[in-house]
Amino acid sequence: MSTDTARRLVESMRELLWERGYTGTSPKAVLQRAGAGQGSMYHHFSGKADLARSAIDATAAEMRAKADAELSGPGPALDRLAAYLRRERDVLRGCPIGGLTQDAELMADPALRAPVTETLAWLRARLAALLTEAVACGELAPALDPEATAAALVATLQGGYVLARAQGSPEPFDQAVAGVLGLLSAFGG
């Protein structure tokens, strides 16, 4: 087996986790999607959970890198925040990390839950740091609580995904983002 096979298995598991969740993804489905032989998964991974952890870790790393690049770019902190919140997303598919919280089997496994929890905590902390920067630069009033606001922003994004999927339209997500940006504007410095 080659490392290319392991990479294909991880990518296939990433896609299937986003589409079906952990419980709905069988090893057979992963092997079929990857175009890999029957023993391939167990050659590279100790089992489904080990492969899923690799897939979740890869998704989390990709999400963190993309978010950090957007939030660390040039310009005023609020402009970077607005660009991050408004960036193009596959809203109707949901968040590939946040959506995993709906899978009871995955959340019951501490090893699989850890990267989900860590990624959402990282995002809250990263947004809180950006909001702290905005307060320090006078873009937002000192009365704004960066940590509570960051939690509200993450909740808005995750809830926006849920509303959009329930309605079958990205419109509720876009409205949620517009609403939270409007609320932030009320705290302008």
Side-chain angles (χ1 to χ4, degrees):
M1 302 296 150
S2 68
T3 57
D4 181 57
T5 301
R7 182 192 55 75
R8 287 194 332 267
L9 288 167
V10 169
E11 286 305 310
S12 296
M13 178 59 97
R14 285 178 68 181
E15 293 167 8
L16 289 165
L17 285 172
W18 200 5
E19 292 169 18
R20 304 178 184 181
Y22 181 74
T23 303
T25 298
S26 68
K28 182 179 179 181
V30 176
L31 292 171
Q32 287 176 338
R33 173 90 43 114
Q38 189 132 3
S40 299
M41 185 171 86
Y42 297 100
H43 177 79
H44 294 285
F45 304 95
S46 63
K48 177 182 171 182
D50 186 33
L51 174 56
R53 175 64 194 248
S54 293
I56 296 167
D57 285 343
T59 298
E62 182 180 283
M63 285 182 60
R64 286 182 188 195
K66 186 173 183 177
D68 196 47
E70 293 167 341
L71 297 170
S72 299
L78 285 181
D79 289 352
R80 289 181 274 144
L81 177 63
Y84 168 73
L85 293 173
R86 290 182 177 136
R87 77 170 158 85
E88 189 173 326
R89 292 173 166 83
D90 195 351
V91 175
L92 296 180
R93 285 186 75 191
C95 176
I97 291 293
L100 295 174
T101 64
Q102 300 303 307
D103 192 309
E105 187 178 351
L106 184 140
M107 294 308 287
D109 183 329
L112 295 177
R113 184 179 62 243
V116 173
T117 303
E118 291 163 8
T119 299
L120 294 172
W122 175 88
L123 182 57
R124 285 192 323 269
R126 185 65 186 88
L127 292 173
L130 188 64
L131 292 164
T132 299
E133 178 186 335
V135 169
C137 293
E139 293 179 70
L140 292 171
L144 181 113
D145 180 339
E147 291 189 18
T149 304
L153 291 172
V154 174
T156 297
L157 289 173
Q158 294 303 316
Y161 284 120
V162 170
L163 294 173
R165 291 185 77 177
Q167 191 168 319
S169 166
E171 186 178 347
F173 183 93
D174 296 339
Q175 287 175 327
V177 168
V180 78
L181 288 172
L183 290 171
L184 275 177
S185 72
F187 277 91

